[in-house]
C-alpha cells in the first residue's frame, strides 16, 4: 500500500510540473543585481512642494502621488506634474539591463506613467508603462496587464541595448516585447508622471526595487 501511495504522489507531482504554465519564469536568471543605496534614488516632485507632501518611505514601501493641478519638477520645465524616482549612478549606453520592482496602483489612478526607461532617439523615452482605467499599457497603446488596481504586481523590464529590444514581465510572465527607440544613454524611473486624460490624483507604491545587469 505504501509503495502504491508513493507512486501516486510521484505521478501527481509529475503531472503538476508538466501542466504548469510554460510562460512563468525567472526574468532575473543570468543577471546580477548592482549595488544600490538611498543616494541612487533621486526624487523628482513638484518644485514648490516639500518632499513629504508628495512622497513617503517607511523603509520598505515608497509611496508617490501627484495631482493633475501640480507644478512641474522645476520652474523652467514645461512638462506635466510628476512625483518620480530617477535612478542615478547606473546610467547605461550598452549591455543588457533590467529594472525590477513590485508596484501597487490604487483604484482611480489613471492617465499616468508609472515606470519608464528614459532616453530615446526622436522621443525622450524608449519605453513607458502607463495606467489607464485599471489597465497597464505600453505608452497609451499595447495592453500589458489588465485589472492592476489594488494588488501588488512584480514588474521586470529588460532592455537589450545592442539588440534594441525591451521585454516586460509581470509576475514572471512575458507580457510584452517591443523594439527600442534609439538613444545613446538610458536610465530607469518609476513613480507617477501625468499623461493625457489624467485623473485628478495619481499614486503608485513601490517596493523591492532593484537594477540588474546581465552577466
Amino acid at each position: 500500500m505504501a509503495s502504491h501511495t508513493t507512486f501516486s504522489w510521484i505521478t501527481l507531482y509529475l503531472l503538476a510540473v508538466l501542466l504548469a504554465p510554460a510562460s512563468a519564469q525567472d526574468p532575473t536568471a543570468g543577471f546580477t543585481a548592482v549595488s544600490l543605496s538611498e543616494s541612487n534614488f533621486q526624487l523628482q516632485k513638484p518644485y514648490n512642494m516639500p518632499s513629504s507632501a508628495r512622497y513617503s518611505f517607511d523603509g520598505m514601501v515608497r509611496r508617490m502621488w501627484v495631482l493633475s493641478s501640480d507644478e512641474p519638477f522645476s520652474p523652467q520645465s514645461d512638462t506635466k506634474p510628476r512625483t518620480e524616482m530617477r535612478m542615478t549612478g547606473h546610467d547605461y549606453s550598452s549591455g543588457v539591463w533590467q529594472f525590477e520592482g513590485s508596484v501597487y496602483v490604487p483604484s482611480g489612478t489613471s492617465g499616468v506613467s508609472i515606470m519608464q526607461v528614459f532616453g530615446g532617439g526622436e522621443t525622450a523615452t524608449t519605453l513607458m508603462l502607463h495606467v489607464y482605467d485599471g489597465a497597464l499599457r505600453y505608452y497609451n497603446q499595447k495592453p500589458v496587464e489588465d485589472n492592476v488596481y489594488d494588488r501588488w504586481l512584480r514588474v521586470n523590464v529588460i532592455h537589450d541595448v545592442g539588440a534594441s529590444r525591451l521585454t516586460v514581465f509581470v509576475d514572471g510572465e512575458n507580457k510584452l516585447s517591443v523594439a527600442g527607440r534609439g538613444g545613446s544613454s538610458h536610465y530607469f524611473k518609476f513613480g507617477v508622471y501625468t499623461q493625457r486624460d489624467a485623473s485628478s490624483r495619481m499614486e503608485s507604491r513601490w517596493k523591492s526595487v532593484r537594477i540588474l545587469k546581465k552577466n
Side-chain angles (χ1 to χ4, degrees):
M1 178 66 71
S3 61
H4 177 73
T5 302
T6 302
F7 177 78
S8 297
W9 278 112
I10 292 174
T11 302
L12 289 172
Y13 172 77
L14 291 174
L15 283 172
V17 170
L18 290 172
L19 295 174
S23 56
Q25 54 189 291
D26 178 10
T28 66
F31 286 78
T32 298
V34 303
S35 177
L36 293 178
S37 67
E38 277 304 300
S39 64
N40 299 113
F41 294 80
Q42 181 184 58
L43 182 67
Q44 296 180 344
K45 44 80 181 175
Y47 73 86
N48 60 337
M49 297 275 185
S51 297
S52 59
R54 294 292 181 266
Y55 169 72
S56 70
F57 179 45
D58 63 5
M60 183 170 65
V61 176
R62 300 177 191 273
R63 181 170 164 251
M64 287 162 277
W65 63 99
V66 74
L67 305 183
S68 60
S69 58
D70 280 343
E71 297 292 335
F73 73 99
S74 77
Q76 295 76 32
S77 175
D78 60 358
T79 61
K80 293 182 178 181
R82 73 181 78 200
T83 305
E84 282 189 307
M85 204 60 75
R86 190 268 204 233
M87 300 306 296
T88 65
H90 296 287
D91 294 15
Y92 60 93
S93 57
S94 62
V96 184
W97 291 78
Q98 180 172 175
F99 171 90
E100 178 182 62
S102 293
V103 62
Y104 180 101
V105 181
S107 59
T109 291
S110 189
V112 66
S113 168
I114 62 168
M115 187 271 165
Q116 57 176 299
V117 180
F118 193 85
E122 296 182 359
T123 57
T125 62
T126 200
L127 178 137
M128 296 180 84
L129 295 178
H130 291 184
V131 172
Y132 291 98
D133 298 322
L136 186 66
R137 291 183 172 270
Y138 168 69
Y139 290 91
N140 60 350
Q141 304 164 20
K142 297 179 181 179
V144 177
E145 178 79 2
D146 291 326
N147 303 315
V148 301
Y149 284 154
D150 303 327
R151 64 187 181 103
W152 285 101
L153 304 170
R154 182 165 64 100
V155 175
N156 296 75
V157 177
I158 298 174
H159 186 192
D160 185 333
V161 180
S164 190
R165 177 62 49 178
L166 294 108
T167 308
V168 178
F169 293 80
V170 176
D171 291 334
E173 293 190 17
N174 188 333
K175 294 288 188 172
L176 179 74
S177 181
V178 292
R181 297 188 171 197
S184 58
S185 182
H186 307 279
Y187 54 82
F188 299 117
K189 302 182 77 176
F190 65 96
V192 278
Y193 177 24
T194 306
Q195 302 299 309
R196 69 182 193 184
D197 300 322
S199 53
S200 59
R201 186 182 187 279
M202 295 147 276
E203 178 179 338
S204 71
R205 305 168 194 173
W206 290 85
K207 64 181 181 180
S208 305
V209 170
R210 299 196 297 167
I211 294 176
L212 307 97
K213 186 177 182 182
K214 194 161 191 179
N215 300 333

